[in-house]
Amino acid sequence: MPHQGQDRYTRIAVILHWLIAFAVLAMLISGLLMTDFISDKVLQFQLYQWHKASGLVVMVLVLLRLVWRFGHKPPPFPSSMPGYEKKAAHGTHWAFYILLISIPLTGWIMVSASPFGLPTLIYGLFEWPHIPGLVGMEWVEELAKDGHEILTLVIMILIGLHIAGAIKHTLIDKENILRRMWF
Ligand code: HEM
C-alpha cells in the first residue's frame, strides 16, 4: 500500500517502467525493420516471431503494472507543477496503459485472423494460442493491421511528449523528477 508522504514510485513500479520502456522501443524498431527494411525472408520470419513473442510479453508486463498500480498509488505530482501540466501528465500516463494493451491486442487479433494460421512461439519454448474463431476473417485481419499501425504512430508521438516533459522538468524547471522513477 502507498506510504504516507511518499515522493517516489515503488521499486516494483520502477523496474516495470524501465523494462516496459526498453521493450517498447525494441518493439517499435523491430516492427519497422521487419515490415519495411528487411528483405531476407529467413531473417524476416525470425524477426516476426521475436516481435510477436516480445509484444505478448509486453502485454503481460503492462497488465502486471496495472494490477500493481491499482494497489500502490503513484506519488503526487510536485506542488510547483501547474494544473494543466498535471492533467497532461496524468492523461499521457493513462493513454500509455490503453495503448500498451491495445497495440499488442491488435497484433494478436491480426495473427489470429490471418488465413495462414502461422503459430506464435514464445522464444521457441511454447506456443501462444490464437484467439479462437478468427482464422481466415480477412476484414478482421485488415482492421487489426490498420489499428496496429495507427496506434503505434500515436504511441510514438506520446513517447516524444513524455520524454519532452521529463526534459523540461529537469532542465527548465530544475525539478529532479526522474529521481521519482529511478532505482
Ligand atoms: C507493445 C507492443 C507492440 C508494438 C509497440 C508493436 C509495434 C509494431 C510496429 C511499429 C509495426 C510496424 C507497423 C507498420 O509500419 O506497418 C508492427 C507490425 C506488426 N506487428 Fe507489432 N507491435 C507490438 C506487438 C505485437 C504483437 C503482440 C503482435 C502479434 C502477436 C504483433 C504483430 C505484428 C505484425 C504481424 C506486424 C506486421 C504487420 C504488417 O504486415 O503490416 N505486434 N508492430
Side-chain angles (χ1 to χ4, degrees), residues 81-142:
M81 210 166 148
Y84 76 90
E85 274 190 12
K86 285 183 189 165
K87 282 202 184 109
H90 195 249
T92 309
H93 297 167
W94 281 102
F96 272 130
Y97 290 123
I98 294 168
L99 285 165
L100 287 175
I101 299 293
S102 51
I103 293 173
L105 203 57
T106 48
W108 189 17
I109 294 172
M110 187 197 325
V111 294
S112 301
S114 163
F116 301 116
L118 288 176
T120 296
L121 298 171
I122 304 294
Y123 308 120
L125 295 175
F126 62 93
E127 191 177 330
W128 184 278
H130 284 158
I131 301 170
L134 295 184
V135 67
M137 295 180 74
E138 275 179 38
W139 68 271
V140 175
E141 187 193 11
E142 281 307 313

Side-chain angles (χ1 to χ4, degrees), residues 151-173:
L151 294 172
T152 53
L153 287 176
V154 175
I155 207 169
M156 286 181 207
I157 296 170
L158 276 191
I159 291 172
L161 284 175
H162 186 67
I163 296 175
I167 292 175
K168 174 188 178 279
H169 284 289
T170 309
L171 297 184
I172 299 175
D173 302 338

Side-chain angles (χ1 to χ4, degrees), residues 36-61:
D36 289 333
F37 295 99
I38 288 182
S39 48
D40 182 287
K41 288 290 164 213
V42 176
L43 188 61
Q44 195 180 39
F45 177 79
Q46 286 168 345
L47 201 53
Y48 262 77
Q49 282 298 342
W50 185 87
H51 181 90
K52 293 192 293 176
S54 306
L56 291 164
V57 170
V58 168
M59 186 170 77
V60 172
L61 288 176

